[in-house]
Amino acid sequence: MTGKTVATITWRALYCEGQDTCRLARADHGWLLVGHARFHDDTGFAALDYVVRCTEDWRTLDADIAGTHGENEVRLHADHRNGEWLLNKTPQPGLEDATDIDLSFTPATNLMPLRRLAKQQDDTLTTRAAWLHYPDAALAPLDQTYLRTHTYGIIDYRAEQTDYTTTLEVNDAGFVTDYPGLWHAEDQHVPL
């Protein structure tokens, strides 16, 4: 896996004992998110590595999640081609309009819509994600709204299907640095 690193970040989980480290890198096809999530939950210790490949304009091409969780091996491949989403080669219905993957165990995948929001003039971005509500081995639609506020780096966020709203703090790379009650950045490197 090659690519020139653009930014790195490490988050501490606030809802459980855990940590996630992610690297954003340039690649031939556009962008790579490469991360390592480690956390404890009711089923044991999880060590999940993930790679998300995106186009130049921040739309998900595919994603791999691999590792262990408790006594179980995890191997998932999500593929987005020609408007269709597959998970381990199985078609996932209701995702025709989804442009992003959203991995529930990491804040890293908020980066794609946040990068698109930063490039547009409108203060609101509404998008549909293919949501992996881990540990479920299925993708579901998650309609998300990101609203740029009048305070630099502060984004109002809403997830329609879960009726979840919060205010996110975001750095210049597009990574969430504070996800209230869920994640907080402990270390970050965003070169100028």
Side-chain angles (χ1 to χ4, degrees):
M1 180 138 340
T2 61
K4 180 179 179 348
T5 298
V6 174
T8 60
I9 192 165
T10 299
W11 296 279
R12 179 175 44 87
L14 303 176
Y15 65 96
C16 70
E17 182 183 337
Q19 183 177 352
D20 184 12
T21 299
C22 186
R23 176 174 72 98
L24 171 63
R26 289 292 260 148
D28 292 341
H29 54 76
W31 301 97
L32 286 174
L33 285 174
V34 181
H36 312 283
R38 306 292 186 257
F39 57 89
H40 291 270
D41 67 9
D42 295 341
T43 58
F45 177 71
L48 301 177
D49 298 323
Y50 57 91
V51 177
V52 179
R53 294 164 197 86
C54 301
T55 62
E56 192 69 34
D57 63 348
W58 301 102
R59 296 177 193 285
T60 302
L61 292 168
D62 62 10
D64 290 295
I65 301 98
T68 58
H69 192 169
E71 299 295 316
N72 301 315
E73 183 177 0
V74 177
R75 295 266 182 251
L76 298 170
H77 176 71
D79 196 24
H80 181 218
R81 300 282 188 240
N82 303 318
E84 182 178 33
W85 285 86
L86 304 173
L87 187 63
N88 290 350
K89 300 184 181 179
T90 302
Q92 303 293 294
L95 298 171
E96 295 77 22
D97 298 330
T99 56
D100 308 305
I101 193 157
D102 188 302
L103 305 177
S104 65
F105 60 85
T106 176
T109 50
N110 292 99
L111 180 125
M112 289 89 76
L114 287 166
R115 291 293 292 241
R116 291 199 309 274
L117 176 64
K119 290 182 174 278
Q120 70 180 31
Q121 290 188 346
D122 191 357
D123 286 338
T124 303
L125 175 74
T126 300
T127 188
R128 172 168 282 184
W131 185 36
L132 180 69
H133 187 235
Y134 185 82
D136 296 342
L139 298 175
L142 185 64
D143 296 312
Q144 301 172 316
T145 301
Y146 295 84
L147 173 64
R148 196 171 20 229
T149 68
H150 295 290
T151 304
Y152 183 78
I154 304 297
I155 305 293
D156 288 336
Y157 171 78
R158 176 173 170 73
E160 187 70 31
Q161 284 79 355
T162 59
D163 197 30
Y164 176 76
T165 59
T166 194
T167 299
L168 306 173
E169 292 182 22
V170 178
N171 70 16
D172 288 342
F175 280 123
V176 173
T177 57
D178 189 49
Y179 210 130
L182 297 176
W183 296 96
H184 185 76
E186 290 192 317
D187 188 34
Q188 54 187 312
H189 179 67
V190 182
L192 297 175

